[in-house]
Amino acid sequence: MMNIAIIGAGTMGNGIAHVFAQHGYKTNLIDISSASLEKGVATIGKNLDRMLAKEVITEADKKSTLDRISTFTVLSKGVKDVQLVIEAATENTDLKLKIFGELDTLCSPNTILATNTSSISITQIAAATNRADKVIGMHFMNPVPIMNLVEIIRGYSTSDEVTHTIMELSKRLGKTPTEVNDYPGFVANRILMPMINEAIETLYNKVAGVSEIDTVMKLGMAHPMGPLQLADFIGLDVCLSILNVMYDGFKNPKYAPCPLLVNMVMAGKLGVKSGEGFYDYATNKKAEIVSKQFS
């Protein structure tokens, strides 16, 4: 398995492409937007420059990594003759089902189809194809080049052979694969998102402010980043999407998103990506006004 295709040139997609290319794999990065592809490759270059400055890699390593990456705006061309496709598009069920339906007709029957979804059912995604045994979840953590964990999620019909192949492949990338079963949110987000949501509820109920909540969790619980800062980093829209998937899947009110989170997303306050969430990234000051404005 040496030819890989990644669908989506955003934060997760370009990070996954970076890791594969750095480890010797010919990597096709696919996106409908040429601008997104240019931005994605530029991000990979900047991340390689950081590694170069820390003497983790050499200039030759950087060049060979970038040389292994090809970009495509046409799906059929990007997935031709690849052994593995990893979908890293927006966390939207309908979009993913559409992509996997197309991949099933475009790819070789032996091609493994993986998704980087952080919450959506692998079994549901696999049902959009005629190769459910070859559909699997590869949930990388952000930032991909740094974080070691990959959640490997088996769908109801995912074969043992495919699971073993993807587990071993993840190890060759220098990652630690952990196999989990196919339930909404899997393990990482089933535990993380209720914690983030409860931190938002704590702010919404005016128990404490943004920095105070994050300080308690960092100093009291030894978390490297507070839950509100982490939510900003993940993207509040992504957090809301994952919570909605879990709420719909389990029908349990403990997964219902906090009204403050819903209102912030509707207002376009998405965190780092929009410049403001629980923190104001334009001025590097706490965006305490958010809780007052939307409570």
Side-chain angles (χ1 to χ4, degrees):
M1 186 179 290
M2 293 304 295
N3 299 321
I4 311 295
I6 315 294
I7 299 175
T11 300
M12 297 305 296
N14 72 60
I16 296 168
H18 173 159
V19 170
F20 271 98
Q22 188 180 338
H23 285 80
Y25 294 87
K26 184 178 181 299
T27 305
N28 294 346
L29 186 58
I30 307 166
D31 199 290
I32 58 173
S33 166
S34 297
S36 295
L37 288 168
E38 291 175 8
K39 183 179 178 181
V41 173
T43 298
I44 294 171
K46 290 176 183 176
N47 289 335
L48 289 168
D49 283 338
R50 292 190 184 97
M51 298 175 74
L52 187 60
K54 295 177 181 178
E55 299 183 345
V56 176
I57 61 171
T58 65
E59 187 66 46
D61 293 330
K62 175 188 172 182
K63 183 179 184 304
S64 63
T65 296
L66 291 173
D67 286 345
R68 292 187 193 103
I69 300 173
S70 301
T71 59
F72 297 85
T73 55
V74 179
L75 184 62
S76 59
K77 293 181 179 179
V79 300
K80 185 180 179 181
D81 300 325
V82 301
Q83 291 81 49
L84 170 66
V85 179
I86 303 175
E87 171 272 318
T90 304
E91 192 74 348
N92 177 283
T93 302
D94 291 339
L95 175 61
K96 291 185 187 295
L97 295 178
K98 179 177 182 293
I99 290 171
F100 273 78
E102 292 177 3
L103 289 175
D104 192 46
T105 63
L106 294 172
C107 295
S108 160
N110 294 321
T111 301
I112 296 172
L113 306 181
T115 173
N116 183 58
T117 181
S118 55
S119 60
I120 298 169
S121 167
I122 307 304
T123 302
Q124 182 181 9
I125 291 172
T129 75
N130 292 308
R131 62 179 84 195
D133 60 316
K134 294 183 176 65
V135 177
I136 194 166
M138 288 185 79
H139 179 208
F140 290 83
M141 304 294 123
N142 184 29
V144 181
I146 296 173
M147 300 293 280
N148 287 328
L149 176 66
V150 183
E151 269 190 310
I152 306 298
I153 307 102
R154 297 182 64 142
Y156 183 82
S157 301
T158 307
S159 71
D160 291 341
E161 179 184 0
V162 165
T163 302
H164 176 75
T165 297
I166 296 303
M167 293 283 284
E168 292 303 310
L169 175 64
S170 300
K171 292 175 185 176
R172 290 198 292 274
L173 297 176
K175 303 300 185 184
T176 302
T178 302
E179 183 181 338
V180 305
N181 291 321
D182 188 20
Y183 289 91
F186 315 131
V187 171
N189 283 317
R190 184 168 179 172
I191 295 170
L192 175 63
M193 286 302 153
M195 183 192 74
I196 287 176
N197 197 44
E198 193 62 30
I200 299 171
E201 286 278 4
T202 303
L203 176 65
Y204 183 56
N205 293 327
K206 298 181 174 60
V207 178
V210 172
S211 63
E212 289 77 11
I213 292 168
D214 279 352
T215 298
V216 167
M217 297 305 291
K218 285 190 289 185
L219 300 185
M221 312 304 166
H223 290 194
M225 186 183 295
L228 299 177
Q229 184 184 5
L230 179 56
D232 275 355
F233 182 70
I234 294 169
L236 302 192
D237 53 337
V238 176
C239 293
L240 178 60
S241 175
I242 295 170
L243 283 165
N244 280 331
V245 167
M246 293 196 294
Y247 183 59
D248 290 342
F250 291 116
K251 300 294 188 290
N252 188 323
K254 74 177 181 180
Y255 298 114
C258 176
L260 174 57
L261 174 62
V262 174
N263 285 341
M264 289 176 68
V265 171
M266 286 195 296
K269 310 297 185 183
L270 308 181
V272 175
K273 69 174 77 175
S274 68
E276 183 182 342
F278 293 107
Y279 293 87
D280 183 344
Y281 297 92
T283 61
N284 202 30
K285 294 179 180 178
K286 290 182 297 180
E288 298 284 6
I289 187 66
V290 169
S291 63
K292 296 174 183 176
Q293 183 177 354
F294 297 108
S295 295

